[in-house]
Amino acid sequence: MADDVFADPQAWGFETRAIRAGQAHEPTSGAVVTPISLATTFVQEEPGVHRGYEYSRTGNPTRRALQDCLASLEGAGHGLAFASGMAAEDTLLRTLSPGDHIVLGNDAYGGTYRLISAVLAPSGIEWSAADLTDPDSLGAAMRPETKVVWAETPTNPLLTVVDLAATAEVAHAGGARFVVDNTFATPYLQQPLSHGADVVVHSTTKYCGGHSDVVGGFLATDDTELAERLAYLQNAIGAVGSPFDNYLTLRGLKTLAVRMDRHCSNARALVEMLKAHPAVSTVLYPGLPEHPGHAAAASQMSDFGGMVSFRLAAGRDAAMSVASSTSVFSLAESLGAVESLIEHPGVMTHASAADSPLEVPDDLVRISVGIETADDLVADLEGALDRL
Ligand SMILES: *Cc1c(COP(=O)(O)O)cnc(C)c1O
């Protein structure tokens, strides 16, 4: 974990850390880019004496660079990189035992809901969903056995904002850990540990990687005891990404700040168009002053992100039609990359949440705003709405 590899003064700004933290120049050649370390095993001076690496599932130099860099960006003492966001989530939730209880935000990522309700629940993990924007709903869901309160903010796909400090307080009063999935905001816009979270989860597949070409996940924490347990589980379970995956994610992090600035400004341009369009009944974006979570978002985020959802006045068929008739926006699942994507959550990303507490409205369209020319994005989506 974060120790000797590279002096990493937290005094450096975010952009400098994104490019340098954990990324010492390669000592043999002086290469300024972290090498992709493909070796599965590392030489030992004598049995048990080595330079910090034995076997690549347990520890790998490329993964280590990514871990140290992203931990630094989250302001965390420890970070662990996984083969996917779900692998990170599964590893974290294996710290629980049968009978333990999870409170999950009622607007969680569909895969998180599926992992908890369909994979962990049958082996005795209890769970309930709560509206985390309502302290009474969270309070009512807490049980003596509650070990984890799991939030996303902004949420997927309804862009609901959870007040991190207020939720941390309720979780901690009940003796639970507060876990925040920071995939949508990224550490550039929001650092949950500084608002009371105990663990930050990422699907680095999204903004951290940022180019739709690598699947990965991450856990960050300041709790050394928990970090040691997680490192044990990471090695014991083995859901680590390849060195090439880790390299791509590290490469993506270097431009996270400039990409996020453009994601945010392009999202603002699209929100303005959507607000004015008669076919759109509601625009869901935390940057809008009328958004119920706007004040919380403004206090815990430095900008409002690149994800926007909207509802169509004419209902499901209109939503399906808009999602199918853009040309700059590609109709696809996933989010957070340079190219703009559009989707119908009810049929695509959130199909598995149908008839559950996490069901989403069928007139909803979600867009992941990319970093293309803003005018092209506005014209493309406006054209699709005009054709309804
Ligand atoms: C994609 C996503 C995940 C799951 O991550 P994978 O990398 O796809 O396994 C978890 N949480 C959120 C918010 C996501 O968008």
Side-chain angles (χ1 to χ4, degrees), residues 210-236:
H211 296 75
S212 297
D213 56 8
V214 59
V215 172
F218 204 78
L219 299 175
T221 183
D222 258 342
D223 179 336
T224 302
E225 208 174 302
L226 176 64
E228 278 164 9
R229 177 74 185 144
L230 292 172
Y232 174 86
L233 289 169
Q234 181 191 48
N235 180 50

Side-chain angles (χ1 to χ4, degrees), residues 83-87 89 109 111-112 152 154 156 181 183-184 201-206 215-217 334-335 366:
S84 68
M86 294 318 304
E89 296 190 11
Y109 176 70
T112 305
E152 281 168 43
N156 178 19
D181 182 332
T183 299
F184 271 38
V201 176
H202 277 286
S203 168
T204 55
T205 312
K206 315 296 167 50
V215 172
S334 198
L335 60 110
R366 184 189 81 179

Side-chain angles (χ1 to χ4, degrees), residues 98-135:
D100 288 349
H101 175 250
I102 303 167
V103 176
L104 178 66
N106 64 358
D107 183 11
Y109 176 70
T112 305
Y113 166 72
R114 183 175 54 199
L115 173 68
I116 293 173
S117 66
V119 179
L120 298 175
S123 36
I125 303 294
E126 309 272 325
W127 70 282
S128 35
D131 175 358
L132 299 182
T133 65
D134 172 7

